Amino acid sequence: MPQPSNYNYNKNLKPLARRLRKESTPGERKLWKEVLSNAKMLGYKFSRQRAIDNYIVDFFCKELMLVIEIDGLNHDHKLAEDKKRDERLEVLGYKTLRITHYMVMTDIVNVARMIEGRVTEIKQSGGLKSH
């Protein structure tokens, strides 16, 4: 499926995305600092709090079309909502990886390995988009 040049960016959500970046959870800050910032993840660049369609995703890599979501305790009550969101993003061509806040805070090494595994899987499947 051809991807729009703006990757379904929703400029109307920009102020909210900016606020969420400033108010990141401890898990989001830890994952960003230790694993995803400055192209640390196998050289791929990730963005934080990216507005896609009608959602703001925690982390996003354009080249991989990969969304990473950190699920906190509040997500236990939003499973149906999260499923609908993941399905919508999939229709738009995105792959979603969900990781619990607890796992980020207690086992960042294995979280990094999980993400590396997903990135490698996407690379090997030829699921990369051109810049």
Side-chain angles (χ1 to χ4, degrees), residues 76-128:
D76 291 343
H77 304 290
K78 297 164 91 177
L79 295 176
E81 198 175 306
D82 288 344
K83 184 175 190 258
K84 179 180 173 187
R85 173 187 177 118
D86 292 351
E87 288 171 351
R88 174 64 182 152
L89 291 171
E90 186 177 337
V91 165
L92 295 172
Y94 301 94
K95 298 160 249 358
T96 302
L97 176 61
R98 289 190 169 276
I99 303 168
T100 66
H101 176 80
Y102 177 80
M103 190 160 180
V104 171
M105 296 307 289
T106 61
D107 196 0
I108 195 71
V109 171
N110 279 319
V111 166
R113 286 184 186 136
M114 278 176 41
I115 297 169
E116 285 174 2
R118 189 68 173 118
V119 167
T120 300
E121 179 184 301
I122 293 167
K123 284 172 38 178
Q124 290 174 347
S125 72
L128 298 177

Side-chain angles (χ1 to χ4, degrees), residues 7-33:
Y7 292 85
N8 305 97
Y9 181 68
N10 183 341
K11 67 181 179 181
N12 297 323
L13 293 177
K14 186 176 182 176
L16 178 57
R18 184 177 291 135
R19 191 182 95 223
L20 290 172
R21 269 193 298 278
K22 290 178 183 176
E23 299 171 2
S24 295
T25 67
E28 290 168 349
R29 287 192 301 271
K30 183 176 182 79
L31 185 61
W32 179 250
K33 182 179 179 188

